[in-house]
Amino acid sequence: MTSEPGASDDVVELRVHGVSGADAEQILDRPHSHQVAGDRNGGFYRPRPGYPDTGGPAGVTLEAYRWSELPSGTTVRTLSLMFLLPFMLCNVAIWMRPAPGDKAGSGVKALCRLLALSLTMLYVLAAMGVALELIAWRCVPNPSCLAGRPWLSWLSDRPTGLTLAVFALLPFGALMLVWLLGVRPGRNFDAFHTPISTSGSHQLSAVGQWDSGPTVDRLCSLHGAAGLMTLGLGLVAARIGSGPSPLSVTLAVVSGAVLVVSIVLVCAHPFVDLLPTGSYADRISRGLRNLAFVLIAVVLVAVSVDPTPWRIRDGLPGYATAVGLVISSQAVLLFLLGTGALIARSRQRHSTADTTGSGEPVDRGDAGGDAPPAPSVEPDEARRGFGRDGLGAGPLRGLGAPVIAATATGLAVAISADLVYRVADFLNRRADADGEREISPPLGYKWAIFVFLVAAAATLLAALIIGLASRIPRMRTARATVAHDFPDAPPAARYRLHQVERMIARARFTERVESLAVVYACVVGVGMPSSLLGMLGLAPDSTVQQLTGIPAAATNFGIQMGSFLIAAVVLALLVGGIFAYRTSRFRRYVGVLWDLGTFWPRVAHPFAPPCYAERAVPELSRRIGYLAEQGHGVLLTGHSHGSVLLAATILQLPPEVCGRLALLTYGSPLRRLYARLFPAYVSDEVLRDVGDRVNWRWINLWRDTDPIGGWVFSPHRPERPPTVSGAAGTVDRRLRDPVGVLPPPGDSVPHPILGHWPGESDPRFEAAVAELAGRLREHDKPA
């Protein structure tokens, strides 16, 4: 549906919400609205005509773009949070590489894709561990395990090969399920795929215009083929372990060849990304996938009808080795990824030093510093050092790819290990103590749980140390800020002042989370090779006791606690996905991770949730272009992640449209999160280009109490000069939060502490809208 703007609508304020998922009435701050364009997933709304006060500040026409349903629906999002989170994080890692375009950047991209493929194989191996290793191989031949379990006992007298073939359908179905979860919602965006025709030269300008459909289709085929061949090789290896036959050896060779080809093609950047739709790349990848389906069918039939006797022994033949090899290869990939990121970061630093002519950093401030403020209470960001490009040199600066990839891999290994461990514990509860065979998971999974426990303990200890070490400077800065904002507060406001101080101090902990991610990633990366010890038959309890003297019982207890901790994490993800839809405040923090991750196109892991920017950015571009063509100025107001969508949109609009735009951002994570985590896509140059395109009709509102958003160019207070020169110094405006610490007249409670909440009804927000609308009208006046 469409709506023609009225003739008197000289300026249209287009509001784009953040991760809060508010409805149209909340975004517009009006009680009644109607849809003027789009659909229920992503639509444009205006106040319903006929009601009073349908206009905005300074007489602008209000319009809202609601995109909260684009990432996925309620059920899909809840399931995806639990099943696809490692895939999503691995896909995000490829976008955090420091310098796309050079050889090191290309190598980082290939390593990220290999790591993503290994996660798919690990997922299939985990399902095989439950269905084949524990149930079909260990439980079905065990009378004590079958006792009281009629859903298994009917297979007790069936041939071993047939039992394995039947239970192999479970990992096959698991692979199809995760494929469906990752691919199905992407159909909503097919109509919005457009060829690259960006008007900007920056990488961020391609987000939303680049058609990722061919890349995702090819990666889906390659990942599907690799997953199916992982299952097929597992069955064939078990068959060969009990007695090889010409057919089983042939199937092993062919399946291995398909797997190797899939691995090689995943690394081939031109094959996956650059060839057009309908080229030989599509035919090869789909042919490989179809061949994998045929092979897995042949393997299932061959295993079920092969008359060669099976030699039942502890553990499915070849399974523990496969687990150890996959986890060990992930450790090697993480090491190479870290090395490649360091090389790319070093080259970028040398290049910057050569262009600036000095190796000294430019002191432009940072959003998270804690040095004592100057008497003018200018924030301590300027003392912490932003680096030459003004974007900060945090722990993840240029190293986000290996850190996030290690986090994704560690989480995937931990969940896979705990799944097998919990099922083994469930099946083993009926085992007798007088000789019945114990049903236990492979030792590699026990080592994985042990490593997760150590990583979690190290991260918790690091959080405690960092929190305590930074508390004094954070509180000192918070007290100075509060003292400056409320110099004449009466004694009755003491408690409220303490609340504001604590809020500011907590908001300043955001940058420290990067250090915690680095600690967790390092421990996981160092500990993952321990899976090789499981391949050698070395158990964690005895090995740890020999090396450290810690009793074996204590190690086993720790593994049990680690297993419960992983289960708690999975349960927390499930509960978080549910409550993110029932509590807007809760979603504001859960959703920031989700919306940050699904903003980027799927170029590493095809089973990650689909990229909503592929629809949101083109949809915004079309609507903004339409409004501008009607002769109206367009004031773009973006809260939180909405400011990122608007920045990507502005970078691809033609100059004639940008000439009729103004930009108001608030609670924006453009610099505080995106510039630090995605330095190749959001840089000082990119942000300045956004300002140039709108002729610096840009105001950014920020609060000290906001743990997510912040300033974009300069952290100065209103009474202080900006830390950057030129038009960029006029963009940022700090808002005191809260407005007051005493209850206003006629009220019994003080003003709320807004933090990251939007504030469209704030008079200071309305004043910024009025100012930008006036500048647009001044621009449109005839000479």
Side-chain angles (χ1 to χ4, degrees):
M1 64 183 70
T2 59
S3 177
E4 292 282 348
S8 61
D9 301 339
D10 60 335
V11 175
V12 177
E13 180 192 349
L14 179 56
R15 296 180 176 178
V16 182
H17 66 82
V19 300
S20 60
D23 56 31
E25 286 75 16
Q26 292 174 306
I27 303 170
L28 294 169
D29 198 24
R30 298 295 186 273
H32 304 282
S33 67
H34 71 293
Q35 191 169 0
V36 297
D39 57 20
R40 66 180 183 87
N41 294 316
F44 297 86
Y45 297 82
R46 289 189 176 187
R48 187 173 295 278
Y51 289 89
D53 194 23
T54 58
V60 301
T61 299
L62 291 178
E63 183 168 313
Y65 177 60
R66 186 171 184 269
W67 55 271
S68 57
E69 297 299 324
L70 288 181
S72 60
T74 306
T75 303
V76 172
R77 181 185 291 242
T78 302
L79 292 175
S80 298
L81 255 171
M82 190 166 58
F83 292 111
L84 305 183
L85 181 59
F87 299 162
M88 183 189 78
L89 293 176
C90 190
N91 186 73
V92 170
I94 199 173
W95 293 96
M96 302 175 80
R97 61 192 191 274
D102 59 14
K103 294 182 179 180
S106 300
V108 169
K109 187 174 185 178
L111 290 171
C112 285
R113 283 183 168 167
L114 279 176
L115 197 60
L117 187 65
S118 73
L119 292 186
T120 299
M121 297 171 63
L122 181 67
Y123 176 84
V124 175
L125 284 173
M128 291 172 57
V130 172
L132 302 182
E133 164 78 5
L134 297 181
I135 299 179
W137 190 262
R138 292 179 180 267
C139 183
V140 171
N142 193 334
S144 67
C145 182
L146 292 179
R149 294 189 172 111
W151 55 279
L152 286 177
S153 58
W154 65 278
L155 287 168
S156 59
D157 56 348
R158 300 295 190 274
T160 301
L162 179 60
T163 301
L164 288 172
V166 169
F167 279 100
L169 297 177
L170 293 179
F172 176 83
L175 180 61
M176 296 301 103
L177 172 63
V178 76
W179 195 337
L180 176 64
L181 286 176
V183 175
R184 183 178 62 84
R187 298 173 186 171
N188 297 334
F189 309 145
D190 289 345
F192 295 86
H193 286 162
T194 57
I196 296 178
S197 59
T198 60
S199 61
S201 59
H202 305 298
Q203 296 287 335
L204 184 63
S205 63
V207 174
Q209 283 201 347
W210 177 59
D211 184 2
S212 65
T215 297
V216 173
D217 289 342
R218 293 163 190 166
L219 287 177
C220 276
S221 297
L222 297 177
H223 278 245
L228 291 173
M229 290 303 92
T230 300
L231 174 60
L233 284 173
L235 290 170
V236 173
R239 176 66 275 180
I240 294 177
S242 295
S245 65
L247 178 59
S248 61
V249 173
T250 302
L251 288 175
V253 172
V254 177
S255 300
V258 173
L259 179 59
V260 171
V261 172
S262 300
I263 293 173
V264 172
L265 292 181
V266 161
C267 300
H269 166 60
F271 177 88
V272 175
D273 295 327
L274 302 182
L275 294 176
T277 303
S279 63
Y280 70 90
D282 295 316
R283 295 190 293 271
I284 292 177
S285 57
R286 292 172 184 172
L288 202 65
R289 177 198 62 193
N290 295 335
L291 177 60
F293 275 109
V294 173
L295 281 175
I296 195 63
V298 173
V299 168
L300 291 176
V301 173
V303 168
S304 60
V305 301
D306 195 329
T308 306
W310 292 78
R311 294 197 296 268
I312 303 299
R313 65 187 75 172
D314 286 342
L316 186 69
Y319 179 74
T321 302
V323 171
L325 289 176
V326 169
I327 298 178
S328 300
S329 66
Q330 290 174 337
V332 174
L333 290 173
L334 289 175
F335 173 78
L336 295 176
L337 185 60
T339 303
L342 284 172
I343 293 174
R345 177 175 175 174
S346 176
R347 289 180 177 177
Q348 191 175 32
R349 283 182 171 179
H350 286 302
S351 175
T352 307
D354 292 339
T355 57
T356 59
S358 172
E360 295 298 324
V362 177
D363 197 13
R364 294 183 180 176
D366 188 309
D370 290 315
S376 61
V377 199
E378 182 164 328
D380 48 309
E381 294 91 336
R383 295 179 175 270
R384 198 168 176 210
F386 236 110
R388 300 177 185 88
D389 58 357
L391 293 177
L396 296 187
R397 177 72 171 151
L399 298 178
V403 171
I404 299 302
T407 303
T409 305
L411 183 62
V413 171
I415 293 177
S416 301
D418 191 59
L419 174 65
V420 178
Y421 190 88
R422 288 290 102 204
V423 173
D425 183 67
F426 169 75
L427 295 176
N428 197 47
R429 290 175 186 173
R430 298 180 183 271
D432 298 331
D434 55 354
E436 291 291 350
R437 192 152 49 103
E438 181 184 10
I439 300 174
S440 61
L443 293 177
Y445 282 140
K446 288 188 175 182
W447 278 107
I449 296 176
F450 180 74
V451 170
F452 176 82
L453 177 65
V454 175
T459 306
L460 181 61
L461 179 62
L464 181 62
I465 295 174
I466 294 174
L468 293 176
S470 66
R471 185 179 184 278
I472 293 178
R474 285 188 291 116
M475 287 300 298
R476 182 170 61 244
T477 301
R479 291 191 186 100
T481 302
V482 171
H484 174 268
D485 288 344
F486 309 101
D488 302 322
R494 181 177 302 173
Y495 178 73
R496 188 59 169 175
L497 293 174
H498 289 331
Q499 287 182 317
V500 179
E501 290 172 0
R502 288 194 295 270
M503 187 71 176
I504 295 176
R506 284 198 298 267
R508 289 184 171 275
F509 193 77
T510 298
E511 285 72 25
R512 276 76 180 182
V513 176
E514 296 183 14
S515 300
L516 301 182
V518 171
V519 171
Y520 177 81
C522 290
V523 175
V524 167
V526 172
M528 285 180 65
S530 63
S531 60
L532 294 174
L533 300 177
M535 293 173 56
L536 299 176
L538 300 176
D541 50 2
S542 58
T543 304
V544 172
Q545 184 174 9
Q546 292 176 2
L547 296 177
T548 65
I550 298 176
T555 302
N556 286 329
F557 176 77
I559 293 176
Q560 285 281 353
M561 292 299 100
S563 175
F564 286 124
L565 179 60
I566 297 171
V569 170
V570 174
L571 181 61
L573 292 175
L574 178 61
V575 173
I578 295 174
F579 275 89
Y581 278 86
R582 299 183 180 274
T583 308
S584 58
R585 182 181 291 272
F586 187 82
R587 184 185 173 183
R588 197 172 299 274
Y589 297 100
V590 174
V592 68
L593 172 65
W594 184 261
D595 290 337
L596 185 148
T598 53
F599 171 76
W600 301 98
R602 292 175 290 177
V603 296
H605 207 302
F607 300 158
C611 166
Y612 61 86
E614 292 176 354
R615 168 171 173 175
V617 174
E619 197 164 42
L620 281 168
S621 300
R622 294 181 187 182
R623 184 64 180 177
I624 294 170
Y626 168 76
L627 294 174
E629 288 173 1
Q630 302 301 311
H632 308 288
V634 184
L635 170 55
L636 305 174
T637 60
H639 173 250
S640 186
H641 195 73
S643 65
V644 182
L645 289 173
L646 289 177
T649 302
I650 291 172
L651 287 172
Q652 59 182 247
L653 289 173
E656 59 271 17
V657 175
C658 292
R660 307 189 65 86
L661 300 183
L663 178 62
L664 173 60
T665 54
Y666 49 112
S668 173
L670 272 170
R671 181 177 292 274
R672 192 175 190 183
L673 294 182
Y674 278 81
R676 298 167 72 94
L677 300 179
F678 308 98
Y681 299 91
V682 182
S683 63
D684 193 70
E685 181 185 2
V686 171
L687 296 176
R688 289 178 179 271
D689 191 13
V690 172
D692 286 333
R693 285 170 173 269
V694 298
N695 198 24
W696 292 103
R697 293 186 292 268
W698 182 3
I699 294 177
N700 177 67
L701 306 177
W702 64 282
R703 309 182 182 105
D704 279 308
T705 55
D706 190 344
I708 297 174
W711 52 274
V712 176
F713 294 103
S714 173
H716 65 283
R717 266 49 176 174
E719 69 279 2
R720 296 287 296 175
T723 59
V724 294
S725 60
T730 66
V731 170
D732 294 286
R733 299 183 184 180
R734 174 184 175 270
L735 300 181
R736 186 176 69 176
D737 187 35
V739 176
V741 292
L742 290 176
D747 203 345
S748 57
V749 295
H751 294 276
I753 304 174
L754 295 178
H756 190 61
W757 281 84
E760 289 84 355
S761 59
D762 191 324
R764 296 169 295 183
F765 178 90
E766 296 179 350
V769 171
E771 178 183 339
L772 290 173
R775 292 164 67 179
L776 278 175
R777 289 167 178 149
E778 185 70 23
H779 174 268
D780 290 338
K781 282 183 179 180

